[in-house]
C-alpha cells in the first residue's frame, strides 16, 4: 500500500509541474510538426528515371553470347533501356566519362565487361542489375546445354520484365516525414525518462524531505520501488500521449502491431529509468543530472531523433556512436515491426533494454543500501 501511495504522489507531483508537461509533451509535439512539414521532400520515395542509353561493343564475332545478348537487349528495350552499338572511332570509356551514356558494355570471348558511370549511380545500378541477371541466366543456360541441350531455351523463357524486379515487404506503405518524426520523437521522449529518474532521489535530498522519508515507517525498498513505479507511469503516459496525438491528429502510421510497439517503448522507459537512477547515485548533486542530460541529448542526436542517420554498419567512430544509442535500437526495431510486419525484430531490442535495466537498477539498489539515508 505504501508503494502505491508513493507512486501516486510522484505522478501527481509530476503532472502538477507545468514545465514537465511543456518539456515532455509540448516541445516534442511542436518539433514533430515543424520537422515533419519542413522535411517532407527529403522522405519522398518517388524517383523518376527516363530512357537509359547503354553503349555496346560486341567483339565475339556473332557467337552464342552475342545472340543471347541481342535477344536480351531486345527484351529490355521494351522497358526503356537502349543498347547502342559502338561506332568506329568512338572510345567507350571516354563516352562514359563525358556522361553521354549510362554504362558501357563489352562482349568478348572471355565474357562480359561493364563500365559504369559515377555521375548517374541510380541509372547505372539499374543497368548493372539487368546485366548481372542476364549473366546468371546465360551461365545457367551454358551449364544446362552440356547436359540437356533441349532445355536451354527454357532458361531464357522468361520475359525481359524478369530481369529487374521491385520487391518490398510493404510496397504500398513507406514512412513519410511525419511518420518518421512521430516514431523518432516518441522514442526520444521514452529516453527522457532518464532525466526525470535522475531527480527522483536527488530532489528529495535537496528539498530536505529525504530525512523525513527515512524516519517514516516505510522501508527503503518501498520508497525506491514506489518512486520508480510513479516515475515510470508518468513517462509511459507521456509516451502514450505522443503515440495517440501523432496517430489521430497528425495521422502518423503506427502499423497493426500496437501491442509489440507498446512493449518496446515500455522496455525503453524502464531502461532509461535505470540509467537515470544509476547516474544519480554514482554522481552527487547537479553533476549527475547534467551528465544525464548531456548523454541523453547525444544519444538522441546520434540515434536519428532530429534527422535520419543511415551510417550504422560502418566500423568507424560514427558507426560506433550510432549503434550505441538506444534510440537507434528502438527506431530500427520498430520500423521493421511497423512497415515490415517483422515482429521478431522487436525482441532483440526488448531484451537489450531489459538487460541493461536490470544491471543499472541492480547497481542503484546496491549503492542505496550502502548509503546512509536516501
Amino acid at each position: 500500500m505504501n508503494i502505491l501511495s508513493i507512486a501516486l504522489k510522484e505522478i501527481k507531483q509530476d503532472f502538477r509541474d507545468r514545465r514537465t508537461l511543456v518539456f515532455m509533451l509540448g516541445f516534442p509535439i511542436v518539433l514533430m510538426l515543424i520537422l515533419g512539414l519542413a522535411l517532407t521532400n527529403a522522405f519522398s520515395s518517388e524517383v523518376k528515371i527516363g530512357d537509359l542509353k547503354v553503349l555496346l561493343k560486341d567483339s565475339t564475332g556473332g557467337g552464342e553470347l552475342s545472340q543471347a545478348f541481342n535477344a536480351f537487349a531486345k527484351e529490355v528495350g521494351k522497358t526503356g533501356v537502349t543498347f547502342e552499338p559502338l561506332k568506329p572511332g568512338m572510345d567507350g570509356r571516354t563516352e562514359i566519362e563525358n556522361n553521354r551514356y549510362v554504362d558501357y558494355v563489352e562482349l568478348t570471348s572471355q565474357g562480359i565487361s561493364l563500365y559504369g558511370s559515377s555521375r548517374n549511380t541510380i541509372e547505372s545500378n539499374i543497368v548493372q542489375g539487368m546485366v548481372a541477371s542476364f549473366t546468371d541466366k546465360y551461365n545457367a543456360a551454358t551449364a544446362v546445354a552440356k547436359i540437356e541441350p533441349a532445355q536451354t531455351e527454357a532458361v531464357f523463357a522468361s520475359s525481359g520484365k524478369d530481369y529487374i524486379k521491385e520487391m518490398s515487404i510493404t510496397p504500398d506503405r513507406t514512412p513519410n516525414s511525419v511518420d518518421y518524426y512521430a516514431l523518432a520523437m516518441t522514442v526520444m521522449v521514452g529516453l527522457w525518462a532518464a532525466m526525470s529518474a535522475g531527480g527522483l532521489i536527488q530532489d528529495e535530498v535537496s528539498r530536505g524531505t529525504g530525512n523525513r522519508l527515512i524516519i517514516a515507517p516505510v522501508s527503503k525498498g518501498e520508497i525506491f520501488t514506489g518512486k520508480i513505479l510513479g516515475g515510470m507511469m508518468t513517462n509511459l503516459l507521456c509516451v502514450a500521449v505522443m503515440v495517440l496525438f501523432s496517430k489521430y491528429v497528425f495521422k502518423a502510421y503506427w502499423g497493426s502491431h500496437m501491442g509489440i510497439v507498446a512493449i518496446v517503448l515500455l522496455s525503453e522507459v524502464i531502461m532509461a529509468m535505470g540509467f537515470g537512477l544509476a547516474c544519480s547515485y554514482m554522481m552527487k548533486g547537479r553533476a549527475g543530472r547534467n551528465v544525464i542530460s548531456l548523454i541523453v541529448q547525444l544519444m538522441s542526436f546520434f540515434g536519428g531523433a532530429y534527422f535520419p542517420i543511415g551510417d550504422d554498419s560502418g566500423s568507424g567512430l560514427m558507426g560506433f556512436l550510432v549503434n550505441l544509442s538506444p534510440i537507434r535500437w528502438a527506431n530500427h526495431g520498430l520500423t521493421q515491426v511497423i512497415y515490415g510486419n517483422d515482429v521478431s525484430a522487436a525482441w532483440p531490442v526488448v531484451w537489450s533494454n531489459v538487460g541493461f535495466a536490470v544491471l543499472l537498477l541492480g547497481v542503484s539498489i546496491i549503492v542505496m543500501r550502502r548509503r546512509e539515508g536516501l
Side-chain angles (χ1 to χ4, degrees), residues 20-325:
T20 299
L21 294 178
V22 172
F23 181 73
M24 294 291 288
L25 296 176
F27 175 70
I29 287 175
V30 172
L31 198 60
M32 184 195 310
L33 176 62
I34 294 174
L35 294 177
L37 294 178
L39 300 179
T40 300
N41 294 332
F43 288 81
S44 176
S45 60
E46 296 182 0
V47 179
K48 296 182 178 179
I49 304 295
D51 293 338
L52 308 181
K53 295 171 62 178
V54 182
L55 195 59
L56 174 65
K57 179 181 180 181
D58 188 352
S59 303
T60 61
E64 294 180 357
L65 176 59
S66 178
Q67 296 176 8
F69 196 89
N70 287 335
F72 157 75
K74 183 178 179 180
E75 290 293 336
V76 298
K78 301 175 183 178
T79 65
V81 180
T82 304
F83 286 86
E84 298 184 1
L86 182 70
K87 298 178 181 179
M90 293 177 61
D91 183 274
R93 300 187 187 186
T94 302
E95 296 296 320
I96 294 298
E97 292 175 358
N98 293 332
N99 201 33
R100 296 192 181 99
Y101 293 88
V102 174
D103 283 319
Y104 170 50
V105 178
E106 289 184 352
L107 303 181
T108 66
S109 57
Q110 304 298 322
I112 302 176
S113 299
L114 187 146
Y115 302 90
S117 171
S118 59
R119 299 186 183 183
N120 304 295
T121 54
I122 296 178
E123 294 89 339
S124 180
N125 287 336
I126 291 174
V127 175
Q128 290 177 33
M130 289 182 171
V131 174
S133 180
F134 164 78
T135 303
D136 292 339
K137 288 189 175 184
Y138 180 78
N139 291 335
T142 302
V144 170
K146 296 178 182 179
I147 303 173
E148 290 288 342
Q151 299 296 324
T152 303
E153 295 183 0
V155 179
F156 291 101
S158 59
S159 65
K161 295 181 180 179
D162 291 332
Y163 285 111
I164 181 169
K165 295 181 180 180
E166 180 180 353
M167 299 181 66
S168 175
I169 296 176
T170 314
D172 295 329
R173 184 74 206 193
T174 56
N176 57 33
S177 57
V178 174
D179 295 332
Y180 176 84
Y181 283 109
L183 175 59
M185 291 295 119
T186 302
V187 174
M188 184 177 71
V189 169
L191 189 63
W192 281 357
M195 292 187 285
S196 60
L200 283 178
I201 305 300
Q202 291 293 338
D203 287 347
E204 299 291 350
V205 175
S206 62
R207 289 195 298 262
T209 55
N211 293 332
R212 295 175 63 183
L213 283 173
I214 289 297
I215 62 176
V218 183
S219 66
K220 278 188 176 182
E222 289 177 321
I223 297 172
F224 188 82
T225 304
K227 294 185 76 66
I228 290 178
L229 183 60
M232 185 177 67
M233 291 303 300
T234 299
N235 286 278
L236 283 177
L237 288 173
C238 290
V239 169
V241 170
M242 290 291 296
V243 173
L244 296 174
F245 193 90
S246 63
K247 182 179 178 66
Y248 294 106
V249 177
F250 293 155
K251 305 301 180 183
Y253 183 70
W254 283 93
S256 57
H257 302 285
M258 291 303 297
I260 301 298
V261 172
I263 292 173
V264 173
L265 294 174
L266 172 62
S267 69
E268 184 200 17
V269 170
I270 296 174
M271 185 275 296
M273 294 289 296
F275 172 70
L277 279 169
C279 287
S280 68
Y281 274 115
M282 299 300 292
M283 291 172 283
K284 298 181 179 180
R286 293 290 304 176
R289 302 189 72 170
N290 291 336
V291 169
I292 294 171
S293 179
L294 176 62
I295 293 176
V296 167
Q297 293 303 322
L298 288 175
M299 286 182 175
S300 299
F301 177 81
F302 288 110
Y306 302 113
F307 56 87
I309 297 180
D311 185 15
D312 62 346
S313 60
S315 58
L317 178 61
M318 188 62 178
F320 173 76
L321 293 174
V322 168
N323 286 310
L324 197 62
S325 173

